[in-house]
Amino acid sequence: MKTIIATKISFFIMLLLFFGCEKKKEGTAELTVKMIDAPDDYQEVNVEVLQVKINHENGGWIDLPTQAGVYNLLTLQNDVFATLVDPYALPSGRINQLRLILGDQNTLMVDSVVHPLNTPSAQMSGLKININQRLSANQQYELVLDFEVESSVVEHGNGTYSLKPVLKVDTIHPI
C-alpha cells in the first residue's frame, strides 16, 4: 500500500515538474531603424541603402523590410532622420549585430561637382555594427544610426573620393 501511494506521489511530482518547467513562449518586440548625420563641409553626401539586417540570437541574420533608396546624409541633421525600417516585429531576445548593405549609387558633391564614392566593403558584406541589446517582449524600440560623414569620406590625392563608412548606434531605446 505504501508503495502505491509513494508511486502516485512520485508521478504527481513529475507532472508538476514537467508542466511547471515548460518553457514559456517568448513574445515579440518591435524595432524601428533610423539614420541621422552631423554637419560637414560638403554640399551633398548621397548613400544608397539597399538592405538592413539584424543578427538575432535565435534566428541568425534576419532581413528587415528596408526602405531602400539614396539618402543625402547632409539633410539628416537637427532632429531630421530617415526611417530605414518601419516598426517590425522581431522575436524578443538579444540582437547582436546590425548590417547595413549599401549599393553603388554613392556620390559626393563638392563645389557643385558630383564625384562617385567607392565603397567596396559596404556593398559585399555590409557595414557591421555591434549592438548587443536585449529586446523585451511587448515593447517597441527605436534604433538610431549616426552616419559620421566627416570621418567617412576620404579624399585621395588624385581628386577622387572613397567612402569608408563610420557608423555608430546613437541610441537604442524603448519608445
Side-chain angles (χ1 to χ4, degrees):
M1 182 70 153
K2 289 182 182 178
T3 305
I4 294 173
I5 293 173
T7 303
K8 286 183 179 181
I9 291 173
S10 296
F11 180 74
F12 180 73
I13 290 172
M14 286 178 21
L15 282 176
L16 283 175
L17 288 173
F18 177 77
F19 288 108
C21 295
E22 182 179 30
K23 187 176 180 181
K24 294 182 180 179
K25 292 183 180 178
E26 294 187 22
T28 61
E30 284 191 351
L31 180 67
T32 302
V33 179
K34 296 180 178 181
M35 185 169 60
I36 61 171
D37 178 41
D40 207 331
D41 294 335
Y42 306 110
Q43 290 172 296
E44 290 182 9
V45 178
N46 298 299
V47 175
E48 183 181 26
V49 176
L50 298 178
Q51 183 68 56
V52 177
K53 299 178 177 211
I54 287 285
N55 185 270
H56 193 279
E57 68 179 348
N58 296 331
W61 286 103
I62 300 170
D63 290 351
L64 301 180
T66 305
Q67 294 184 32
V70 177
Y71 296 90
N72 180 358
L73 298 175
L74 299 184
T75 64
L76 306 178
Q77 303 171 21
N78 303 320
D79 295 327
V80 175
F81 54 84
T83 301
L84 300 178
V85 177
D86 285 322
Y88 182 74
L90 289 170
S92 58
R94 183 164 299 284
I95 55 174
N96 301 311
Q97 212 174 47
L98 177 135
R99 189 174 282 181
L100 189 66
I101 308 294
L102 299 183
D104 58 3
Q105 300 301 311
N106 305 302
T107 60
L108 171 75
M109 184 185 286
V110 180
D111 298 327
S112 299
V113 177
V114 176
H115 301 273
L117 284 172
N118 187 12
T119 58
S121 65
Q123 293 166 357
M124 297 204 175
S125 62
L127 306 170
K128 297 172 198 88
I129 303 158
N130 290 326
I131 305 271
N132 296 318
Q133 173 79 31
R134 179 160 293 287
L135 302 180
S136 299
N138 305 315
Q139 183 69 52
Q140 293 181 335
Y141 292 86
E142 181 177 84
L143 188 151
V144 179
L145 296 173
D146 185 1
F147 205 115
E148 297 180 356
V149 168
E150 184 177 320
S151 303
S152 298
V153 175
V154 177
E155 183 177 2
H156 302 287
N158 60 2
T160 62
Y161 296 87
S162 48
L163 184 66
K164 296 191 178 183
V166 176
L167 284 133
K168 68 177 184 175
V169 175
D170 188 47
T171 60
I172 182 168
H173 60 273
I175 54 175

Short mmCIF file of all heavy atoms in Angstrom, two decimals, residues 48-70:
data_model
loop_
_atom_site.label_atom_id
_atom_site.label_comp_id
_atom_site.label_asym_id
_atom_site.label_seq_id
_atom_site.Cartn_x
_atom_site.Cartn_y
_atom_site.Cartn_z
N GLU A 48 23.49 55.08 -51.02
CA GLU A 48 22.41 54.18 -51.41
C GLU A 48 22.32 53.03 -50.41
O GLU A 48 23.24 52.22 -50.30
CB GLU A 48 22.65 53.61 -52.81
CG GLU A 48 21.51 52.72 -53.27
CD GLU A 48 21.72 52.12 -54.64
OE1 GLU A 48 22.89 51.96 -55.06
OE2 GLU A 48 20.71 51.78 -55.28
N VAL A 49 21.21 52.96 -49.70
CA VAL A 49 20.95 51.88 -48.74
C VAL A 49 20.07 50.85 -49.42
O VAL A 49 19.00 51.17 -49.92
CB VAL A 49 20.26 52.41 -47.46
CG1 VAL A 49 19.92 51.27 -46.52
CG2 VAL A 49 21.14 53.45 -46.77
N LEU A 50 20.56 49.61 -49.46
CA LEU A 50 19.80 48.53 -50.09
C LEU A 50 19.06 47.66 -49.08
O LEU A 50 17.93 47.25 -49.30
CB LEU A 50 20.73 47.64 -50.92
CG LEU A 50 21.45 48.30 -52.09
CD1 LEU A 50 22.37 47.30 -52.77
CD2 LEU A 50 20.45 48.88 -53.07
N GLN A 51 19.73 47.36 -47.95
CA GLN A 51 19.16 46.39 -47.01
C GLN A 51 19.68 46.63 -45.60
O GLN A 51 20.84 46.98 -45.42
CB GLN A 51 19.54 44.97 -47.44
CG GLN A 51 18.96 43.86 -46.60
CD GLN A 51 17.46 43.75 -46.75
OE1 GLN A 51 16.97 43.59 -47.86
NE2 GLN A 51 16.73 43.84 -45.67
N VAL A 52 18.81 46.44 -44.62
CA VAL A 52 19.19 46.41 -43.21
C VAL A 52 18.92 45.01 -42.70
O VAL A 52 17.84 44.45 -42.94
CB VAL A 52 18.40 47.44 -42.37
CG1 VAL A 52 18.77 47.34 -40.90
CG2 VAL A 52 18.61 48.85 -42.89
N LYS A 53 19.92 44.43 -42.03
CA LYS A 53 19.79 43.09 -41.47
C LYS A 53 20.11 43.14 -39.98
O LYS A 53 20.92 43.95 -39.56
CB LYS A 53 20.78 42.12 -42.14
CG LYS A 53 20.59 41.96 -43.62
CD LYS A 53 21.64 41.05 -44.20
CE LYS A 53 21.38 40.85 -45.67
NZ LYS A 53 21.80 39.54 -46.12
N ILE A 54 19.48 42.26 -39.23
CA ILE A 54 19.73 42.14 -37.79
C ILE A 54 20.16 40.71 -37.51
O ILE A 54 19.57 39.77 -38.03
CB ILE A 54 18.46 42.47 -36.97
CG1 ILE A 54 18.16 43.96 -37.00
CG2 ILE A 54 18.55 41.97 -35.55
CD1 ILE A 54 19.08 44.81 -36.14
N ASN A 55 21.18 40.56 -36.67
CA ASN A 55 21.59 39.23 -36.23
C ASN A 55 20.95 38.98 -34.87
O ASN A 55 21.24 39.68 -33.90
CB ASN A 55 23.12 39.12 -36.14
CG ASN A 55 23.54 37.72 -35.79
OD1 ASN A 55 23.66 37.38 -34.63
ND2 ASN A 55 23.74 36.90 -36.80
N HIS A 56 20.05 38.00 -34.82
CA HIS A 56 19.30 37.67 -33.60
C HIS A 56 19.84 36.38 -33.01
O HIS A 56 20.19 35.45 -33.74
CB HIS A 56 17.81 37.51 -33.96
CG HIS A 56 16.92 37.47 -32.76
ND1 HIS A 56 16.73 36.34 -32.02
CD2 HIS A 56 16.17 38.44 -32.19
CE1 HIS A 56 15.89 36.60 -31.02
NE2 HIS A 56 15.54 37.87 -31.11
N GLU A 57 19.88 36.32 -31.69
CA GLU A 57 20.45 35.15 -31.01
C GLU A 57 19.76 33.85 -31.38
O GLU A 57 20.38 32.79 -31.36
CB GLU A 57 20.42 35.35 -29.50
CG GLU A 57 19.03 35.34 -28.89
CD GLU A 57 19.04 35.51 -27.38
OE1 GLU A 57 20.11 35.40 -26.77
OE2 GLU A 57 17.96 35.75 -26.81
N ASN A 58 18.49 33.90 -31.74
CA ASN A 58 17.74 32.67 -32.03
C ASN A 58 17.55 32.41 -33.52
O ASN A 58 17.26 31.29 -33.91
CB ASN A 58 16.37 32.70 -31.36
CG ASN A 58 16.48 32.72 -29.86
OD1 ASN A 58 17.43 32.21 -29.29
ND2 ASN A 58 15.53 33.34 -29.20
N GLY A 59 17.67 33.45 -34.34
CA GLY A 59 17.32 33.26 -35.74
C GLY A 59 18.42 33.57 -36.73
O GLY A 59 18.18 33.56 -37.92
N GLY A 60 19.61 33.86 -36.26
CA GLY A 60 20.67 34.23 -37.19
C GLY A 60 20.36 35.57 -37.83
O GLY A 60 19.74 36.45 -37.23
N TRP A 61 20.76 35.75 -39.09
CA TRP A 61 20.53 37.01 -39.80
C TRP A 61 19.10 37.09 -40.29
O TRP A 61 18.59 36.17 -40.92
CB TRP A 61 21.49 37.16 -40.97
CG TRP A 61 22.87 37.49 -40.51
CD1 TRP A 61 23.93 36.65 -40.43
CD2 TRP A 61 23.32 38.75 -40.01
NE1 TRP A 61 25.03 37.31 -39.93
CE2 TRP A 61 24.68 38.61 -39.67
CE3 TRP A 61 22.73 39.99 -39.84
CZ2 TRP A 61 25.45 39.65 -39.15
CZ3 TRP A 61 23.48 41.03 -39.32
CH2 TRP A 61 24.81 40.87 -38.99
N ILE A 62 18.45 38.22 -40.00
CA ILE A 62 17.07 38.48 -40.42
C ILE A 62 17.09 39.72 -41.31
O ILE A 62 17.56 40.78 -40.89
CB ILE A 62 16.16 38.72 -39.20
CG1 ILE A 62 16.15 37.49 -38.28
CG2 ILE A 62 14.75 39.08 -39.65
CD1 ILE A 62 15.48 37.73 -36.94
N ASP A 63 16.59 39.59 -42.55
CA ASP A 63 16.46 40.74 -43.44
C ASP A 63 15.24 41.54 -42.99
O ASP A 63 14.12 41.01 -42.96
CB ASP A 63 16.26 40.29 -44.89
CG ASP A 63 17.51 39.68 -45.49
OD1 ASP A 63 18.58 39.75 -44.86
OD2 ASP A 63 17.41 39.14 -46.60
N LEU A 64 15.45 42.79 -42.66
CA LEU A 64 14.33 43.65 -42.27
C LEU A 64 13.75 44.32 -43.51
O LEU A 64 14.48 44.58 -44.47
CB LEU A 64 14.82 44.71 -41.27
CG LEU A 64 15.45 44.17 -39.98
CD1 LEU A 64 15.89 45.32 -39.08
CD2 LEU A 64 14.48 43.26 -39.25
N PRO A 65 12.45 44.61 -43.51
CA PRO A 65 11.83 45.27 -44.67
C PRO A 65 12.33 46.72 -44.76
O PRO A 65 11.84 47.61 -44.09
CB PRO A 65 10.33 45.19 -44.39
CG PRO A 65 10.24 45.04 -42.90
CD PRO A 65 11.49 44.34 -42.46
N THR A 66 13.33 46.92 -45.60
CA THR A 66 14.08 48.17 -45.66
C THR A 66 13.49 49.11 -46.70
O THR A 66 13.12 48.70 -47.79
CB THR A 66 15.55 47.85 -46.04
OG1 THR A 66 16.06 46.92 -45.09
CG2 THR A 66 16.40 49.10 -46.03
N GLN A 67 13.44 50.39 -46.34
CA GLN A 67 13.04 51.42 -47.30
C GLN A 67 14.30 51.80 -48.08
O GLN A 67 15.00 52.75 -47.75
CB GLN A 67 12.44 52.62 -46.57
CG GLN A 67 11.14 52.29 -45.90
CD GLN A 67 10.49 53.51 -45.27
OE1 GLN A 67 10.62 54.62 -45.74
NE2 GLN A 67 9.77 53.27 -44.18
N ALA A 68 14.60 50.97 -49.08
CA ALA A 68 15.81 51.16 -49.88
C ALA A 68 15.71 52.48 -50.64
O ALA A 68 14.63 52.93 -51.01
CB ALA A 68 15.99 49.99 -50.84
N GLY A 69 16.88 53.10 -50.85
CA GLY A 69 16.91 54.34 -51.61
C GLY A 69 18.23 55.06 -51.42
O GLY A 69 19.10 54.61 -50.66
N VAL A 70 18.36 56.18 -52.11
CA VAL A 70 19.54 57.03 -51.98
C VAL A 70 19.19 58.14 -51.00
O VAL A 70 18.19 58.86 -51.19
CB VAL A 70 19.96 57.61 -53.35
CG1 VAL A 70 21.15 58.55 -53.18
CG2 VAL A 70 20.31 56.47 -54.32
#
